[in-house]
Amino acid sequence: MSTAVAAPPTMSSKTAPAPLSKPVVFATSGIGGMLGWVLVHPANTTAVRMNLASMQGKKFSFGAMIREQGFMSLYDGLAAGVWRQVFYASSRFGLFETCRDKLHEIRGKTDFAGRVAVGAVTGATAAIISCPMEVATVRMSNDATLPAAERRNYAGVGDVVKRIAKEEGISAFWRGSVPFAQRAALVGVFQVATLDQFKELYAYYLSQKKNSIPNVFCSAMTSGLIYSIATMPLEAAKNRMASQKPDPKTGKLPYTGTLQLLGKVSANEGILALYNGFLPYYMRCGGHTVAMFIAVQMLRDVYSNKL
């Protein structure tokens, strides 16, 4: 009996990975977000243009867009989108894991309600941090679709930042920040609340190995569908507020807040106008979730294996 107590540690205990340092957590989150964004940026550009075409009373045609502006126009604003992930993905997932672990220390447990609360707060916080790059992404993605007289003709991310600060003031960087933060909070809630659950469901009903590539893919696409449906109106509100211009006669902006925008669009264009661009938006949400989570896990595995 005494020899059993003194038995050497098992192989699993020897190979259990050490907790990652916070800088590594934040860095892998940001890099994974950037890699995932490169893949889904064309879908994001398409979603933004479809949604803003509705605001302008135009019919959107993907084929016409490619014929008129070229295939590479799908990558307009890519640099700003990647920079957005530097701030958004790193802060959102880095803060989530940091706050989740701290909450565990305080409460002694990590439950469903705790994950939902942490996901909502850290998602909204990350949105506020990254909103300037979100505004730049929307502006650059949609500029080519505007009439020639209305185009801002940005030369790049640096030009966007410089001109917005000079021409519109620093506060313009946070135009649309409220619906962006609201959307990010909902994304945090729906992703955190559903992703792990779907992993369990698909592992049981489809006999998938939990955390395998097929399991992560199916779970991420399903959770992406749920939060896409829930957050698309706020995405539409954010896009419209970020790209709006003052009325040339009154000097006033057409939209003053999230609820006012949602009510005005629903009354004038119908509630489905808030879902224009939903398919590419879902492709962006689901695709980015899959690519990002897989990239983050692979980066962390590589880092851990080299320790």
Side-chain angles (χ1 to χ4, degrees):
M1 295 293 293
S2 60
T3 56
V5 173
T10 63
M11 182 63 69
S12 60
S13 64
K14 284 184 179 181
T15 58
L20 296 173
S21 66
K22 296 308 177 187
V24 173
V25 169
F26 277 86
T28 53
S29 298
I31 295 172
M34 292 164 63
L35 293 174
W37 188 259
V38 171
L39 297 177
V40 302
H41 185 79
N44 179 71
T45 300
T46 304
V48 169
R49 290 180 178 179
M50 288 181 71
N51 191 260
L52 294 180
S54 172
M55 181 181 71
Q56 299 162 6
K58 301 177 180 178
K59 287 187 177 181
F60 178 84
S61 169
F62 182 82
M65 179 186 71
I66 298 300
R67 287 193 301 271
E68 294 172 7
Q69 301 163 28
F71 180 79
M72 293 307 296
S73 69
L74 291 172
Y75 289 90
D76 288 347
L78 176 61
V82 171
W83 272 106
R84 170 183 176 260
Q85 293 303 313
V86 171
F87 297 99
Y88 182 61
S90 59
S91 58
R92 181 180 168 219
F93 294 106
L95 286 173
F96 172 78
E97 295 189 13
T98 301
C99 295
R100 179 201 61 196
D101 295 345
K102 188 64 178 178
L103 187 63
H104 181 85
E105 291 179 10
I106 296 172
R107 302 177 65 212
K109 63 179 181 178
T110 303
D111 55 14
F112 177 80
R115 287 190 174 94
V116 167
V118 171
V121 173
T122 56
T125 302
I128 298 299
I129 293 172
S130 62
C131 196
M133 286 298 102
E134 180 68 20
V135 171
T137 302
V138 172
R139 295 276 186 97
M140 294 180 71
S141 296
N142 189 57
D143 198 52
T145 67
L146 297 173
E150 297 181 18
R151 293 177 189 172
R152 295 180 173 98
N153 296 314
Y154 295 120
V157 179
D159 185 45
V160 176
V161 173
K162 180 180 178 180
R163 287 178 55 186
I164 289 177
K166 182 179 179 180
E167 299 170 6
E168 305 173 53
I170 297 298
S171 62
F173 285 116
W174 280 271
R175 190 175 293 162
S177 60
V178 173
F180 183 30
Q182 292 167 334
R183 172 195 169 277
L186 286 177
V187 170
V189 169
F190 285 108
Q191 272 191 321
V192 173
T194 62
L195 188 65
D196 283 340
Q197 185 63 40
F198 281 120
K199 285 182 181 180
E200 296 282 354
L201 290 173
Y202 288 134
Y204 180 80
Y205 288 107
L206 301 182
S207 300
Q208 294 178 338
K209 181 180 179 181
K210 188 177 179 181
N211 291 322
S212 64
I213 297 299
N215 182 247
V216 172
F217 176 83
C218 293
S219 302
M221 291 301 285
T222 307
S223 64
L225 176 61
I226 292 174
Y227 81 69
S228 294
I229 294 172
T231 63
M232 181 69 202
L234 294 175
E235 173 73 5
K238 180 262 297 179
N239 288 339
R240 290 184 181 225
M241 293 183 72
S243 64
Q244 65 182 331
K245 292 183 177 182
D247 186 279
K249 294 182 179 179
T250 65
K252 295 182 179 180
L253 294 171
Y255 304 119
T256 58
T258 306
L259 293 179
Q260 180 260 358
L261 185 152
L262 295 177
K264 186 174 181 179
V265 172
S266 298
N268 295 340
E269 306 173 39
I271 192 170
L272 292 181
L274 296 169
Y275 284 89
N276 283 327
F278 177 77
L279 181 58
Y281 178 65
Y282 170 54
M283 292 172 62
R284 164 200 153 181
C285 292
H288 187 245
T289 301
V290 171
M292 178 179 60
F293 276 119
I294 291 176
V296 168
Q297 190 58 53
M298 290 176 65
L299 289 168
R300 292 179 178 180
D301 288 344
V302 170
Y303 179 84
S304 297
N305 291 335
K306 290 187 175 181
L307 291 180

